[in-house]
Amino acid sequence: GEEGLEIDHALLSFYSWIFGLFIVVLEGKIFILDIKVLNCFISDYLKILRFLWGRGLLYAYAGSVHICLFSQYSVICGGYMSALGFISFALGMLLRRHLNHLRLEFKEKDAFALVFDFYDVDHDGFVDYEGFRDLVIGMGISDTDDVAAFKAIDKDYDGLIHYSEVKQWFDDVIDTRNKSVQDGLDIIGLYGGK
């Protein structure tokens, strides 16, 4: 009877707090809350959360758990979180489509070269960290850890990376994202073919 309802309510409250804390830590980079262990765990085991649409699914689920607490506050907060989740999912899918379209455009060397040239201020075929960061943001892949990516690309540690290295990195990022998105869609059953 009522004891079962109290246990259910306590369990839902516990999960609601756990999801809330996880989301705060996940999005904490905005507030300088960067937990490396969690970021590594997500990169290795929860790849779906690296994408806006994957986080949207998490938000929607967490919001639905919060709604189930049935207090006025919980319904409002859970509804907000669920709405945010659905909007994030929809925007993530639109951005995925846009990235695929960009990838097709950038398959031609000239298109990517024009974009790279825009950020290569002295037109020497190299960009520094600031140019690379602006290039990444300008191409819509701002959720990338641009500092780590720059360090990985800059093999000789001179603070500059060449056009061919950036082009290879971009192609690898797009290929990885497309595969991750496809795997995620296959997992949740939204896409049936390859």
Short mmCIF file of all heavy atoms in Angstrom, two decimals, residues 13-57:
data_model
loop_
_atom_site.label_atom_id
_atom_site.label_comp_id
_atom_site.label_asym_id
_atom_site.label_seq_id
_atom_site.Cartn_x
_atom_site.Cartn_y
_atom_site.Cartn_z
N SER A 13 13.03 9.78 -6.45
CA SER A 13 13.77 10.96 -5.99
C SER A 13 15.27 10.73 -6.10
O SER A 13 16.02 11.61 -6.55
CB SER A 13 13.42 11.28 -4.53
OG SER A 13 12.10 11.69 -4.42
N PHE A 14 15.72 9.55 -5.70
CA PHE A 14 17.14 9.21 -5.79
C PHE A 14 17.62 9.27 -7.24
O PHE A 14 18.64 9.91 -7.54
CB PHE A 14 17.37 7.81 -5.21
CG PHE A 14 18.77 7.31 -5.38
CD1 PHE A 14 19.81 7.81 -4.60
CD2 PHE A 14 19.06 6.34 -6.34
CE1 PHE A 14 21.11 7.35 -4.77
CE2 PHE A 14 20.35 5.88 -6.51
CZ PHE A 14 21.39 6.39 -5.74
N TYR A 15 16.89 8.63 -8.15
CA TYR A 15 17.28 8.65 -9.56
C TYR A 15 17.24 10.06 -10.13
O TYR A 15 18.09 10.45 -10.93
CB TYR A 15 16.40 7.73 -10.40
CG TYR A 15 16.74 6.28 -10.24
CD1 TYR A 15 15.75 5.33 -10.00
CD2 TYR A 15 18.06 5.84 -10.33
CE1 TYR A 15 16.07 3.99 -9.86
CE2 TYR A 15 18.38 4.50 -10.19
CZ TYR A 15 17.38 3.59 -9.95
OH TYR A 15 17.70 2.27 -9.82
N SER A 16 16.25 10.84 -9.70
CA SER A 16 16.16 12.21 -10.17
C SER A 16 17.39 13.01 -9.76
O SER A 16 17.96 13.76 -10.56
CB SER A 16 14.88 12.84 -9.61
OG SER A 16 14.70 14.12 -10.12
N TRP A 17 17.84 12.85 -8.52
CA TRP A 17 19.04 13.53 -8.04
C TRP A 17 20.28 13.03 -8.78
O TRP A 17 21.15 13.83 -9.16
CB TRP A 17 19.21 13.33 -6.54
CG TRP A 17 18.45 14.34 -5.75
CD1 TRP A 17 17.22 14.18 -5.18
CD2 TRP A 17 18.84 15.68 -5.49
NE1 TRP A 17 16.84 15.34 -4.57
CE2 TRP A 17 17.81 16.28 -4.73
CE3 TRP A 17 19.96 16.44 -5.80
CZ2 TRP A 17 17.88 17.59 -4.29
CZ3 TRP A 17 20.02 17.75 -5.37
CH2 TRP A 17 18.99 18.31 -4.63
N ILE A 18 20.39 11.73 -8.97
CA ILE A 18 21.56 11.16 -9.67
C ILE A 18 21.64 11.70 -11.09
O ILE A 18 22.70 12.15 -11.54
CB ILE A 18 21.52 9.62 -9.66
CG1 ILE A 18 21.69 9.08 -8.24
CG2 ILE A 18 22.55 9.03 -10.60
CD1 ILE A 18 23.01 9.43 -7.60
N PHE A 19 20.50 11.66 -11.82
CA PHE A 19 20.51 12.19 -13.19
C PHE A 19 20.83 13.68 -13.19
O PHE A 19 21.58 14.17 -14.04
CB PHE A 19 19.16 11.95 -13.89
CG PHE A 19 18.98 10.56 -14.39
CD1 PHE A 19 17.86 9.83 -14.04
CD2 PHE A 19 19.91 9.97 -15.23
CE1 PHE A 19 17.67 8.54 -14.51
CE2 PHE A 19 19.74 8.69 -15.70
CZ PHE A 19 18.61 7.97 -15.33
N GLY A 20 20.26 14.42 -12.24
CA GLY A 20 20.53 15.86 -12.15
C GLY A 20 22.00 16.15 -11.93
O GLY A 20 22.59 16.99 -12.61
N LEU A 21 22.61 15.47 -10.98
CA LEU A 21 24.04 15.66 -10.72
C LEU A 21 24.88 15.26 -11.92
O LEU A 21 25.84 15.95 -12.28
CB LEU A 21 24.47 14.86 -9.49
CG LEU A 21 23.97 15.40 -8.15
CD1 LEU A 21 24.31 14.42 -7.02
CD2 LEU A 21 24.55 16.77 -7.87
N PHE A 22 24.53 14.15 -12.56
CA PHE A 22 25.27 13.70 -13.74
C PHE A 22 25.19 14.75 -14.85
O PHE A 22 26.19 15.07 -15.48
CB PHE A 22 24.72 12.36 -14.23
CG PHE A 22 25.45 11.80 -15.40
CD1 PHE A 22 26.71 11.23 -15.25
CD2 PHE A 22 24.90 11.87 -16.67
CE1 PHE A 22 27.40 10.72 -16.33
CE2 PHE A 22 25.59 11.35 -17.76
CZ PHE A 22 26.84 10.78 -17.59
N ILE A 23 24.01 15.31 -15.06
CA ILE A 23 23.85 16.32 -16.11
C ILE A 23 24.63 17.58 -15.77
O ILE A 23 25.27 18.18 -16.65
CB ILE A 23 22.35 16.61 -16.35
CG1 ILE A 23 21.69 15.40 -17.03
CG2 ILE A 23 22.16 17.87 -17.19
CD1 ILE A 23 20.18 15.44 -17.07
N VAL A 24 24.62 18.00 -14.51
CA VAL A 24 25.39 19.19 -14.11
C VAL A 24 26.87 18.96 -14.35
O VAL A 24 27.57 19.83 -14.89
CB VAL A 24 25.12 19.55 -12.63
CG1 VAL A 24 26.13 20.54 -12.11
CG2 VAL A 24 23.71 20.09 -12.47
N VAL A 25 27.38 17.79 -13.99
CA VAL A 25 28.80 17.49 -14.22
C VAL A 25 29.08 17.37 -15.71
O VAL A 25 30.10 17.88 -16.20
CB VAL A 25 29.21 16.20 -13.47
CG1 VAL A 25 30.60 15.77 -13.86
CG2 VAL A 25 29.14 16.43 -11.97
N LEU A 26 28.17 16.75 -16.45
CA LEU A 26 28.34 16.59 -17.90
C LEU A 26 28.43 17.95 -18.59
O LEU A 26 29.27 18.16 -19.46
CB LEU A 26 27.17 15.78 -18.46
CG LEU A 26 27.15 15.49 -19.95
CD1 LEU A 26 28.30 14.56 -20.31
CD2 LEU A 26 25.83 14.85 -20.33
N GLU A 27 27.58 18.86 -18.20
CA GLU A 27 27.54 20.19 -18.82
C GLU A 27 28.40 21.20 -18.06
O GLU A 27 28.42 22.36 -18.41
CB GLU A 27 26.10 20.70 -18.90
CG GLU A 27 25.19 19.83 -19.72
CD GLU A 27 25.59 19.72 -21.17
OE1 GLU A 27 26.40 20.55 -21.66
OE2 GLU A 27 25.11 18.80 -21.83
N GLY A 28 29.12 20.75 -17.06
CA GLY A 28 29.88 21.64 -16.20
C GLY A 28 31.03 22.37 -16.85
O GLY A 28 31.58 23.29 -16.25
N LYS A 29 31.42 21.98 -18.05
CA LYS A 29 32.51 22.69 -18.72
C LYS A 29 32.19 24.17 -18.87
O LYS A 29 33.08 25.00 -18.86
CB LYS A 29 32.78 22.08 -20.10
CG LYS A 29 33.42 20.74 -20.03
CD LYS A 29 33.68 20.21 -21.43
CE LYS A 29 34.23 18.82 -21.38
NZ LYS A 29 34.45 18.27 -22.70
N ILE A 30 30.92 24.48 -18.99
CA ILE A 30 30.50 25.87 -19.12
C ILE A 30 30.84 26.63 -17.85
O ILE A 30 31.20 27.80 -17.87
CB ILE A 30 28.98 25.94 -19.40
CG1 ILE A 30 28.66 25.30 -20.75
CG2 ILE A 30 28.47 27.36 -19.34
CD1 ILE A 30 27.19 25.09 -21.01
N PHE A 31 30.76 25.96 -16.70
CA PHE A 31 31.00 26.60 -15.41
C PHE A 31 32.38 26.25 -14.85
O PHE A 31 32.58 26.31 -13.65
CB PHE A 31 29.92 26.17 -14.42
CG PHE A 31 28.54 26.46 -14.89
CD1 PHE A 31 27.72 25.44 -15.34
CD2 PHE A 31 28.07 27.76 -14.93
CE1 PHE A 31 26.45 25.71 -15.79
CE2 PHE A 31 26.79 28.03 -15.38
CZ PHE A 31 25.98 27.01 -15.81
N ILE A 32 33.30 25.84 -15.70
CA ILE A 32 34.66 25.48 -15.31
C ILE A 32 34.66 24.26 -14.37
O ILE A 32 35.53 24.10 -13.55
CB ILE A 32 35.42 26.67 -14.67
CG1 ILE A 32 35.20 27.97 -15.43
CG2 ILE A 32 36.91 26.38 -14.58
CD1 ILE A 32 35.69 27.99 -16.86
N LEU A 33 33.66 23.43 -14.49
CA LEU A 33 33.61 22.20 -13.72
C LEU A 33 33.96 21.07 -14.69
O LEU A 33 33.11 20.55 -15.38
CB LEU A 33 32.21 21.99 -13.14
CG LEU A 33 31.97 20.72 -12.34
CD1 LEU A 33 32.83 20.73 -11.08
CD2 LEU A 33 30.51 20.60 -11.97
N ASP A 34 35.24 20.76 -14.77
CA ASP A 34 35.71 19.79 -15.75
C ASP A 34 36.29 18.59 -15.02
O ASP A 34 37.37 18.67 -14.45
CB ASP A 34 36.77 20.46 -16.64
CG ASP A 34 37.11 19.62 -17.85
OD1 ASP A 34 36.40 18.64 -18.13
OD2 ASP A 34 38.11 19.95 -18.52
N ILE A 35 35.57 17.50 -15.03
CA ILE A 35 36.00 16.30 -14.34
C ILE A 35 36.54 15.33 -15.39
O ILE A 35 35.78 14.73 -16.15
CB ILE A 35 34.85 15.69 -13.51
CG1 ILE A 35 34.39 16.71 -12.47
CG2 ILE A 35 35.29 14.38 -12.88
CD1 ILE A 35 33.19 16.28 -11.66
N LYS A 36 37.86 15.21 -15.45
CA LYS A 36 38.52 14.42 -16.49
C LYS A 36 38.09 12.96 -16.48
O LYS A 36 37.91 12.37 -17.53
CB LYS A 36 40.05 14.50 -16.34
CG LYS A 36 40.60 15.89 -16.47
CD LYS A 36 40.53 16.37 -17.88
CE LYS A 36 41.18 17.75 -17.97
NZ LYS A 36 40.76 18.47 -19.12
N VAL A 37 37.92 12.36 -15.30
CA VAL A 37 37.55 10.95 -15.22
C VAL A 37 36.19 10.74 -15.89
O VAL A 37 36.01 9.80 -16.66
CB VAL A 37 37.51 10.48 -13.75
CG1 VAL A 37 36.95 9.08 -13.63
CG2 VAL A 37 38.90 10.57 -13.13
N LEU A 38 35.26 11.64 -15.62
CA LEU A 38 33.94 11.52 -16.23
C LEU A 38 34.02 11.71 -17.73
O LEU A 38 33.39 10.97 -18.50
CB LEU A 38 32.97 12.52 -15.62
CG LEU A 38 31.55 12.47 -16.20
CD1 LEU A 38 30.89 11.13 -15.86
CD2 LEU A 38 30.72 13.61 -15.67
N ASN A 39 34.79 12.69 -18.17
CA ASN A 39 34.93 12.92 -19.61
C ASN A 39 35.53 11.71 -20.31
O ASN A 39 35.11 11.35 -21.41
CB ASN A 39 35.76 14.17 -19.87
CG ASN A 39 35.04 15.43 -19.45
OD1 ASN A 39 33.82 15.46 -19.40
ND2 ASN A 39 35.79 16.45 -19.11
N CYS A 40 36.52 11.08 -19.70
CA CYS A 40 37.12 9.87 -20.28
C CYS A 40 36.11 8.73 -20.30
O CYS A 40 36.03 7.99 -21.28
CB CYS A 40 38.37 9.45 -19.50
SG CYS A 40 39.74 10.59 -19.71
N PHE A 41 35.34 8.58 -19.23
CA PHE A 41 34.32 7.54 -19.17
C PHE A 41 33.29 7.73 -20.28
O PHE A 41 32.91 6.77 -20.96
CB PHE A 41 33.64 7.55 -17.80
CG PHE A 41 32.57 6.51 -17.64
CD1 PHE A 41 32.91 5.19 -17.39
CD2 PHE A 41 31.24 6.85 -17.75
CE1 PHE A 41 31.94 4.22 -17.24
CE2 PHE A 41 30.25 5.89 -17.60
CZ PHE A 41 30.60 4.57 -17.35
N ILE A 42 32.86 8.96 -20.48
CA ILE A 42 31.88 9.25 -21.53
C ILE A 42 32.48 8.96 -22.89
O ILE A 42 31.84 8.36 -23.75
CB ILE A 42 31.39 10.70 -21.43
CG1 ILE A 42 30.50 10.85 -20.19
CG2 ILE A 42 30.63 11.13 -22.68
CD1 ILE A 42 30.17 12.27 -19.83
N SER A 43 33.72 9.38 -23.11
CA SER A 43 34.37 9.14 -24.40
C SER A 43 34.51 7.66 -24.70
O SER A 43 34.41 7.23 -25.84
CB SER A 43 35.75 9.79 -24.43
OG SER A 43 35.62 11.18 -24.46
N ASP A 44 34.76 6.87 -23.65
CA ASP A 44 34.98 5.44 -23.85
C ASP A 44 33.69 4.63 -23.87
O ASP A 44 33.56 3.68 -24.65
CB ASP A 44 35.90 4.88 -22.77
CG ASP A 44 37.32 5.43 -22.88
OD1 ASP A 44 37.67 5.95 -23.97
OD2 ASP A 44 38.07 5.35 -21.89
N TYR A 45 32.73 4.95 -23.00
CA TYR A 45 31.59 4.07 -22.80
C TYR A 45 30.22 4.67 -23.12
O TYR A 45 29.27 3.94 -23.34
CB TYR A 45 31.57 3.55 -21.36
CG TYR A 45 32.83 2.81 -21.00
CD1 TYR A 45 33.77 3.37 -20.16
CD2 TYR A 45 33.08 1.56 -21.53
CE1 TYR A 45 34.93 2.70 -19.83
CE2 TYR A 45 34.24 0.88 -21.22
CZ TYR A 45 35.17 1.46 -20.36
OH TYR A 45 36.31 0.79 -20.06
N LEU A 46 30.12 5.97 -23.09
CA LEU A 46 28.83 6.63 -23.34
C LEU A 46 28.95 7.59 -24.52
O LEU A 46 28.61 8.76 -24.42
CB LEU A 46 28.37 7.38 -22.07
CG LEU A 46 28.18 6.54 -20.82
CD1 LEU A 46 27.90 7.44 -19.62
CD2 LEU A 46 27.07 5.53 -21.00
N LYS A 47 29.41 7.08 -25.62
CA LYS A 47 29.72 7.92 -26.78
C LYS A 47 28.50 8.72 -27.26
O LYS A 47 28.66 9.80 -27.81
CB LYS A 47 30.27 7.07 -27.91
CG LYS A 47 31.60 6.44 -27.57
CD LYS A 47 32.11 5.58 -28.71
CE LYS A 47 33.26 4.74 -28.32
NZ LYS A 47 34.53 5.30 -28.23
N ILE A 48 27.33 8.21 -27.05
CA ILE A 48 26.11 8.89 -27.48
C ILE A 48 25.98 10.27 -26.82
O ILE A 48 25.42 11.19 -27.40
CB ILE A 48 24.87 8.01 -27.21
CG1 ILE A 48 23.64 8.54 -27.92
CG2 ILE A 48 24.61 7.87 -25.74
CD1 ILE A 48 22.46 7.62 -27.85
N LEU A 49 26.55 10.43 -25.62
CA LEU A 49 26.44 11.70 -24.90
C LEU A 49 27.41 12.76 -25.41
O LEU A 49 27.36 13.90 -24.96
CB LEU A 49 26.65 11.47 -23.40
CG LEU A 49 25.61 10.60 -22.72
CD1 LEU A 49 25.93 10.44 -21.24
CD2 LEU A 49 24.20 11.15 -22.91
N ARG A 50 28.27 12.41 -26.35
CA ARG A 50 29.15 13.42 -26.94
C ARG A 50 28.39 14.27 -27.94
O ARG A 50 28.88 15.30 -28.38
CB ARG A 50 30.33 12.75 -27.64
CG ARG A 50 31.24 12.01 -26.70
CD ARG A 50 32.44 11.46 -27.39
NE ARG A 50 32.09 10.87 -28.68
CZ ARG A 50 32.95 10.31 -29.50
NH1 ARG A 50 34.22 10.26 -29.18
NH2 ARG A 50 32.56 9.79 -30.64
N PHE A 51 27.19 13.86 -28.28
CA PHE A 51 26.41 14.55 -29.31
C PHE A 51 25.20 15.22 -28.69
O PHE A 51 24.63 14.73 -27.71
CB PHE A 51 25.96 13.55 -30.39
CG PHE A 51 27.11 12.81 -30.99
CD1 PHE A 51 27.38 11.51 -30.60
CD2 PHE A 51 27.93 13.41 -31.93
CE1 PHE A 51 28.46 10.83 -31.13
CE2 PHE A 51 29.00 12.74 -32.47
CZ PHE A 51 29.27 11.44 -32.07
N LEU A 52 24.79 16.31 -29.28
CA LEU A 52 23.64 17.06 -28.79
C LEU A 52 22.39 16.19 -28.77
O LEU A 52 21.63 16.21 -27.81
CB LEU A 52 23.42 18.31 -29.66
CG LEU A 52 22.27 19.20 -29.28
CD1 LEU A 52 22.46 19.75 -27.87
CD2 LEU A 52 22.14 20.34 -30.27
N TRP A 53 22.16 15.41 -29.80
CA TRP A 53 20.96 14.57 -29.84
C TRP A 53 21.00 13.50 -28.76
O TRP A 53 19.97 13.16 -28.19
CB TRP A 53 20.75 13.97 -31.23
CG TRP A 53 21.85 13.07 -31.69
CD1 TRP A 53 22.96 13.40 -32.42
CD2 TRP A 53 21.95 11.66 -31.45
NE1 TRP A 53 23.74 12.30 -32.63
CE2 TRP A 53 23.14 11.21 -32.05
CE3 TRP A 53 21.16 10.74 -30.78
CZ2 TRP A 53 23.55 9.89 -32.01
CZ3 TRP A 53 21.56 9.42 -30.74
CH2 TRP A 53 22.74 9.01 -31.35
N GLY A 54 22.18 12.98 -28.44
CA GLY A 54 22.29 11.98 -27.38
C GLY A 54 22.02 12.58 -26.01
O GLY A 54 21.35 11.98 -25.16
N ARG A 55 22.51 13.79 -25.81
CA ARG A 55 22.23 14.47 -24.54
C ARG A 55 20.75 14.81 -24.46
O ARG A 55 20.15 14.78 -23.38
CB ARG A 55 23.08 15.73 -24.42
CG ARG A 55 24.53 15.39 -24.16
CD ARG A 55 25.38 16.60 -24.03
NE ARG A 55 26.75 16.19 -23.80
CZ ARG A 55 27.74 17.03 -23.64
NH1 ARG A 55 27.52 18.32 -23.66
NH2 ARG A 55 28.95 16.59 -23.45
N GLY A 56 20.16 15.14 -25.59
CA GLY A 56 18.72 15.40 -25.61
C GLY A 56 17.92 14.20 -25.13
O GLY A 56 16.95 14.34 -24.37
N LEU A 57 18.31 13.01 -25.55
CA LEU A 57 17.63 11.80 -25.08
C LEU A 57 17.80 11.64 -23.57
O LEU A 57 16.85 11.28 -22.87
CB LEU A 57 18.17 10.56 -25.80
CG LEU A 57 17.84 10.45 -27.29
CD1 LEU A 57 18.56 9.26 -27.90
CD2 LEU A 57 16.34 10.34 -27.49
#
